[in-house]
Amino acid sequence: MNVEHEVTLLVDEIRRLGSTNADGKISVKFGVLFNDDQCANLFEALVGTLKAAKRKKVIAFEGELLLQGVHDNVDVILLQD
């Protein structure tokens, strides 16, 4: 699968599941993304897609890597519209 395409799908899913934060940006908790059935079916490696999107400055989140359970309450913030 093409990384660009996966990042585009991720942006769509963040828009679908997220809400506008105080800064006017759309954000969603990692746990919400990870536990969503549609996301589970779309992304074979959600964590890898998140890292690729962060590298491209499409999204932002604290830390280098998000792990299910430990980082469920970490905000994934959409930087681009």
Side-chain angles (χ1 to χ4, degrees), residues 43-61:
F43 303 107
E44 197 169 304
L46 176 61
V47 173
T49 304
L50 286 166
K51 281 185 72 171
K54 184 177 181 178
R55 242 183 279 117
K56 294 176 178 291
K57 304 213 184 320
V58 174
I59 62 167
F61 55 84

Side-chain angles (χ1 to χ4, degrees), residues 13 16-17 31-43:
E13 292 306 304
R16 179 176 68 86
L17 295 169
V32 172
L33 268 179
F34 192 90
N35 293 314
D36 183 72
D37 288 339
Q38 190 170 326
C39 283
N41 292 331
L42 270 178
F43 303 107

